[in-house]
């Protein structure tokens, strides 16, 4: 198994087909949707994001007119986010270890759902407290291109083709790298982003 995404990209690893039963993970996402429905969030500037999001775990990432932040309660339901399934936590820990990042105990899992033309523009994950902790990103369902810009949000990004069960882990010098996701090449794609946010 090659961990290296691209010899030019340091501290980012692709673990191909790391999830052995991706369909079971999709089923867990669908079950989580019953208590924390997927919804399109607004950017602080007032634009509607094209992917549908929800969260599980102690902290959930949200975006609205007031900005980006982590909250303990789902603003839609007023309840705590659903508990993170043990299988998500376990997978993230094993992926971080396999990629050489040591013990990783996520407290937040953002769940993205991309249908049709939904995509995600270039951004970096920068709302967490401790940037020594890596990001573990799990792809499920339809494949899509993941674009890696690195330190600057310009130039031509590296293009990684991600399929169901592939896991990308980045940290250290890549931790604040800019990245984006293109529309799914199929009906629906899910992504789990596991983070140590608090
Ligand atoms: C994200 O960067 O939040 C999503 C990444 C992905 O969908 O692969
Ligand atoms: Fe991201």
């Amino acid at each position: 198994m090659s961990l290296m995404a691209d010899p030019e990209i340091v501290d980012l690893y692709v673990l191909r087909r790391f999830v052995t039963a991706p369909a079971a993970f999709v089923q867990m996402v669908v079950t989580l949707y019953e208590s924390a429905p997927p919804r399109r969030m607004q950017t602080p500037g007032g634009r509607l994001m094209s992917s549908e999001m929800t969260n599980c775990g102690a902290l959930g990432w949200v975006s609205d007119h007031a900005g980006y932040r982590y909250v303990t309660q789902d603003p839609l339901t007023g309840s705590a986010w659903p508990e993170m399934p043990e299988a998500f936590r376990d997978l993230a820990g094993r992926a971080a270890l396999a990629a050489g990042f040591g013990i990783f105990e996520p407290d937040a899992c953002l769940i993205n759902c991309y249908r049709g033309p939904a995509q995600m523009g270039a951004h970096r994950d920068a709302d967490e407290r401790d940037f020594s902790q890596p990001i573990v990103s799990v792809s499920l369902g339809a494949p899509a291109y993941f674009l890696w810009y690195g330190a600057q949000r310009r130039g031509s990004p590296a293009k990684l083709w991600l399929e169901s069960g592939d896991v990308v882990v980045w940290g250290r010098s890549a931790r604040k790298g800019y990245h984006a996701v293109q529309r799914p090449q199929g009906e629906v794609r899910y992504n789990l982003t596991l983070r140590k946010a608090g």
Side-chain angles (χ1 to χ4, degrees), residues 81-197:
W81 299 104
E83 217 176 293
M84 192 186 303
E86 181 57 35
F88 289 11
R89 199 193 316 275
D90 174 69
L91 179 92
R94 287 188 295 107
L97 272 183
F101 287 97
I103 291 174
F104 177 58
E105 293 176 331
D107 55 13
C109 176
L110 172 65
I111 304 171
N112 264 298
C113 174
Y114 304 85
R115 276 181 204 280
Q119 49 157 37
M120 192 173 290
H123 68 280
R124 50 187 182 173
D125 295 15
D127 304 312
E128 300 73 35
R129 287 226 170 104
D130 180 1
F131 295 117
S132 74
Q133 298 287 319
I135 300 288
V136 174
S137 176
V138 180
S139 290
L140 301 167
Y145 278 109
F146 177 81
L147 310 180
W148 185 259
Y149 290 83
Q152 316 262 3
R153 193 202 323 233
R154 54 177 165 75
S156 46
K159 253 182 128 171
L160 304 178
W161 176 247
L162 298 182
E163 297 184 1
S164 193
D166 290 350
V167 177
V168 185
V169 186
W170 65 92
R172 295 189 287 261
S173 69
R175 177 61 180 74
K176 292 193 217 167
Y178 284 95
H179 54 281
V181 191
Q182 292 187 341
R183 60 183 293 166
Q185 308 279 310
E187 202 184 321
V188 56
R189 172 176 181 266
Y190 301 93
N191 172 263
L192 312 177
T193 304
L194 294 122
R195 307 182 178 116
K196 176 83 178 78

